[in-house]
Every structure is written in structure tokens, then in C-alpha cells.
């Protein structure tokens, strides 16, 4: 009988010792045969979680407006790469393309690239973007050509593996995953790597509070590659995700299954595992690499500044009462202060400080 991912993980720990939380996340999400994203479409009502573009077309339309504005401000380059990282079902990109149809020259100039690791979602993207001739990459280094790049990523960074550290008795330790006496997966303490500790923000190093500090080497490397790319080719990157504006302590690792929280060790590979994004960290890496950083602002502020309410009113004017109700409830879900509107943050990076994106003045 083929081994389950749980057995594979336990086998690996028994053979070479406890693994980091990042290794655990990586295996659960990306194992080639059993990884969560490799085996299913997790989105929507029948899946495990839902996202802003899946809730309302207004979200993708506003991102489309944002991109068209930047493209015009960039002098309407005749060629550019429209890159989406972690495009899910392709809904956001399809809405962006629909919303920009009337922007003269935009479609002709755009070459769509999708960074995706899931074969199941690649199929869905290919269906959603039929006619737009996208190409897929597994790594940002694989992007073709030297044209400016406009990158968007919604709920992508939260899927990148994090490592967790905690101070015990005045000393930092890393949280690991091991196999307990009854054969179950459990957390353990591991020695902490000095280089990683050195890179912690000062406020965290000196903190006397107890709690986990989370850092993602994969995310840091990814942001650095984006900065190098934008410095070389020009363009902008837009990141939207749930997370915090200031680096802080707290365990944000979470598992989701069928729209409910699950245990981190519940059937590995069958739950989504994510962590909150530390936007202060992204801003610091951006500024350190000489990028202009805009935000973070809340998703609500961003969408409002781009005119989401006006657009919703326009859609409602042409809709029947049931459709209008749906449009308004979608708007509320993606922009409510009590929900996604404030939990989600938006941050943009540009290599050219003169290129000022919309949405960050609120
Ligand atoms: N942006 C979409 C989907 C978010 S779910 C939406 O808003 O609806 C996360 C997406 O990131 C999925 O498409 C998943 O397959 C992809 N993903 C996660 N980790 C990835 C990685 N390391 N490389 C490429 N894609 C990844």
C-alpha cells in the first residue's frame, strides 16, 4: 500500500531527526505526490477556504484599474510581463483582463506569466485564461524577456513556509516537529541558528515578552528576487495578504479544512497550512534594496481609494435585485472593517520612486 504523507514525514524524522516548521509546511503543501496544493483545488464553497477574487469580481476589477493606471504612468510600454504569483483558479487574472479590455494597447502589450506549483490549479488557470495565451513558471528566475514586470500576488505569501522561534530562559530556540512516544507528530525545541537570530529586528531581539517570532527565509529570498527583477526591468509588485503592519510575536501558523480551523498535525497534506505575513519585514527588505515602498494599507482603504464603491453602484444599476444584493454582500465581505477589509493588507514595491501607484494615500 502506498505510504501516506504522515508516514513519510515520520519516517524522515526517525531517520534524520526533528524537522523545522518550514520543512513540515513545505512537505504538507508541496510534496510532489501528497502535497495539499499538488492534489486538489482547495478554493471555493466546496473547498477549504475562499479568497477575495473568488468572493467578488470587484476585487479583480480594482486590481485591473490599478495596473492600467501604472502602465499608463509608465509611458504605456509596448511590451510588459503581467505576472501573477499563486493565481489559484485564475479568477483574479481573468477579472483583471476583463476590466482592462477598454484600455487601448494594454492587452496587446501584456504577456501573462503565472507562477504556480499546483498541476490541478494550472488546469483551472488554463481554462479561465483561454484566449490569453499565458505561460507558466515555477520560479521567478524563469521569467522570459526583459520587458517591465507588473506582478500581483493575492494570498500567495501566506503559503510560503515559515520558521518559528521562541525565547526560553533568555535563550532563543527554534520550534521543530518530532515523533512522540505514541508515534504521534508533536512540537519540540531545536537549537536556533545564529545567522537567523542575528537578522531579527531589534525590537524582537530585545523583547521580554514570550511568544513565537516567525520568519520565512523562502519569502525573504522571493522578495529579494522580485527587487532584483524590478530594478533590472522596471515595473511594480503588488502584494495582498493577511498579516500585520509591525513585526510582532505570536503563533500564526494555522490549518484550515472545509472553512474551519483544524489541528496543525491533522492528516498532513489534507489541510491548508498558512501563516500571517509580516509586512514590516517586506517593507524593510524593499527599502534595504533601494525600492520605493507604498503601504501597507488595509485592503478596505486600498479598494475604496480605487473607487470600489462607485464601481459596485454602477454594477447594481444594471442588475436585478437578487444580483444587486450579491454585489453588495461581496463588497462588504472583501472590504468590511470587521473582516477581510482590515485583516488583509496591501503593499507595493517599485524600483522607480517617480512611479507612484494609486491606492496608498488613504
Ligand atoms: N491568488 C489566488 C489563490 C491563493 S491560494 C486567490 O486569491 O484566489 C495560494 C496559491 O499559491 C495557489 O495557487 C497555490 O497553488 C500557489 N502556491 C503556493 N505556494 C506556491 C509556491 N511555492 N510556488 C508557486 N505557487 C505556489
Amino acid at each position: 500500500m502506498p505510504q501516506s504523507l504522515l508516514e513519510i514525514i515520520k519516517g524522515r524524522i526517525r531517520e534524520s531527526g526533528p524537522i523545522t516548521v518550514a520543512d513540515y509546511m513545505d512537505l504538507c503543501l508541496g510534496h510532489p505526490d501528497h502535497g495539499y496544493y499538488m492534489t486538489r483545488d482547495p478554493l471555493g464553497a466546496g473547498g477549504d477556504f475562499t479568497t477575495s477574487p473568488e468572493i467578488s469580481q470587484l476585487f479583480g476589477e480594482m486590481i485591473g484599474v490599478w495596473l492600467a493606471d501604472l502602465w499608463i504612468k509608465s509611458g504605456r510600454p509596448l511590451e510588459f510581463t503581467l505576472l501573477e504569483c499563486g493565481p489559484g483558479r485564475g479568477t483574479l487574472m481573468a477579472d483583471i483582463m476583463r476590466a482592462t479590455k477598454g484600455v487601448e494597447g494594454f492587452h496587446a502589450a501584456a504577456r501573462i506569466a503565472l507562477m504556480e506549483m499546483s498541476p490541478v490549479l494550472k488546469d483551472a488557470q488554463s481554462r479561465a485564461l483561454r484566449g490569453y495565451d499565458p505561460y507558466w513558471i515555477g520560479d521567478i528566475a524563469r521569467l522570459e524577456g526583459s520587458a517591465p514586470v507588473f506582478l500581483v500576488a493575492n494570498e500567495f505569501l501566506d503559503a510560503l513556509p515559515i520558521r518559528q522561534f521562541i525565547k526560553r530562559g533568555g535563550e532563543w530556540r527554534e520550534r521543530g516537529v518530532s515523533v512522540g512516544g505514541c508515534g504521534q507528530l508533536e512540537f519540540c525545541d531545536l537549537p536556533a541558528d545564529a545567522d537567523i537570530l542575528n537578522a531579527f529586528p531589534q525590537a524582537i531581539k530585545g523583547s521580554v515578552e514570550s511568544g513565537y517570532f516567525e520568519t520565512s527565509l523562502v519569502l525573504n529570498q522571493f522578495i529579494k528576487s522580485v527587487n532584483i527583477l524590478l530594478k533590472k526591468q522596471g515595473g511594480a509588485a503588488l502584494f495582498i495578504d493577511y498579516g500585520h503592519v509591525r513585526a510582532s510575536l505570536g503563533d500564526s501558523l494555522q490549518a484550515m479544512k472545509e472553512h474551519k480551523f483544524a489541528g496543525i498535525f491533522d492528516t498532513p497534506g489534507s489541510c491548508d497550512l498558512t501563516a500571517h505575513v509580516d509586512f514590516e519585514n517586506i517593507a524593510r527588505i524593499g527599502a534595504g534594496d533601494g525600492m520605493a515602498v507604498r503601504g501597507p494599507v488595509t485592503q478596505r482603504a486600498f479598494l475604496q481609494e480605487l473607487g470600489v464603491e462607485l464601481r459596485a453602484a454602477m454594477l447594481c444599476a444594471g442588475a436585478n435585485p437578487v444580483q444587486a444584493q450579491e454585489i453588495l454582500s461581496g463588497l462588504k465581505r472583501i472590504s468590511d472593517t470587521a473582516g477581510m477589509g482590515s485583516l488583509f493588507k496591501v503593499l507595493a514595491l517599485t524600483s522607480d520612486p517617480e512611479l507612484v501607484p494609486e491606492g496608498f494615500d488613504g
Side-chain angles (χ1 to χ4, degrees), residues 26 29 37 42-43 49-54 59 84-92 115-118 121 125 137-138 153-156 158-161 218 272:
D26 207 23
L29 298 178
Y37 281 117
L43 289 147
F49 62 93
T50 193
T51 58
S52 297
E54 296 297 331
F59 184 80
E84 184 175 357
C85 298
R89 288 177 169 172
T91 309
L92 172 57
M115 181 170 153
E116 176 56 70
M117 69 171 181
S118 160
L121 290 175
Q125 291 153 20
I137 53 169
N154 182 60
E155 290 211 44
F156 167 69
D158 66 62
L160 300 181
V218 180
D272 187 31

Side-chain angles (χ1 to χ4, degrees), residues 268-283:
S270 77
C271 304
D272 187 31
L273 283 181
T274 59
H276 284 203
V277 172
D278 174 355
F279 279 93
E280 183 181 340
N281 172 54
I282 301 177

Side-chain angles (χ1 to χ4, degrees), residues 132-354:
Y132 292 119
D133 195 24
Y135 71 98
W136 282 265
I137 53 169
D139 188 300
I140 203 156
R142 299 274 161 183
L143 216 57
E144 293 169 10
S146 55
V149 178
F150 292 96
L151 180 164
V152 295
N154 182 60
E155 290 211 44
F156 167 69
L157 299 177
D158 66 62
L160 300 181
I162 54 150
R163 290 170 74 163
Q164 295 183 309
F165 296 83
I166 193 162
K167 230 184 216 176
R168 292 199 208 281
E171 224 183 293
W172 285 101
R173 309 277 292 159
E174 177 160 11
R175 194 183 210 188
V177 177
S178 66
V179 181
C182 302
Q184 81 287 13
L185 291 179
E186 62 181 20
F187 287 118
C188 66
D189 270 9
L190 300 172
D193 179 286
D195 288 339
I196 297 180
L197 296 182
N198 271 335
F200 281 9
Q202 278 311 328
I204 297 295
K205 276 187 201 166
S207 171
V208 287
E209 279 174 63
S210 69
Y212 286 95
F213 182 65
E214 300 176 335
T215 182
S216 172
L217 303 185
V218 180
L219 180 146
N220 293 355
Q221 196 46 56
F222 172 73
I223 299 292
K224 286 196 154 291
S225 321
V226 168
N227 294 343
I228 292 170
L229 181 72
L230 296 185
K231 291 222 129 186
K232 197 165 85 192
Q233 299 181 199
L238 184 71
F239 298 108
I240 306 154
D241 229 304
Y242 45 96
H244 34 274
V245 168
R246 296 259 162 274
S248 58
L249 295 176
D251 177 7
S252 78
L253 183 63
Q254 68 182 38
M256 287 284 264
K257 192 169 175 60
E258 292 162 5
H259 302 265
K260 292 193 199 76
F261 290 115
I264 302 297
F265 298 132
D266 290 359
T267 29
S270 77
C271 304
D272 187 31
L273 283 181
T274 59
H276 284 203
V277 172
D278 174 355
F279 279 93
E280 183 181 340
N281 172 54
I282 301 177
R284 189 182 327 105
I285 298 174
D289 288 344
M291 305 291 287
V293 181
R294 315 282 166 183
V297 296
T298 63
Q299 175 160 305
R300 178 187 177 80
F302 181 76
L303 293 175
Q304 283 195 332
E305 202 181 313
L306 289 166
V308 75
E309 273 159 14
L310 189 64
R311 174 67 186 148
M314 273 169 63
L315 286 176
C316 285
N320 65 38
V322 177
Q323 291 166 328
Q325 196 44 46
E326 269 175 30
I327 294 162
L328 293 177
S329 90
L331 170 67
K332 188 166 157 52
R333 280 182 73 192
I334 62 171
S335 63
D336 200 2
T337 352
M340 296 177 94
S342 66
L343 184 58
F344 279 70
K345 313 292 184 307
V346 187
L347 181 143
L349 298 171
T350 59
S351 52
D352 175 3
E354 308 279 307

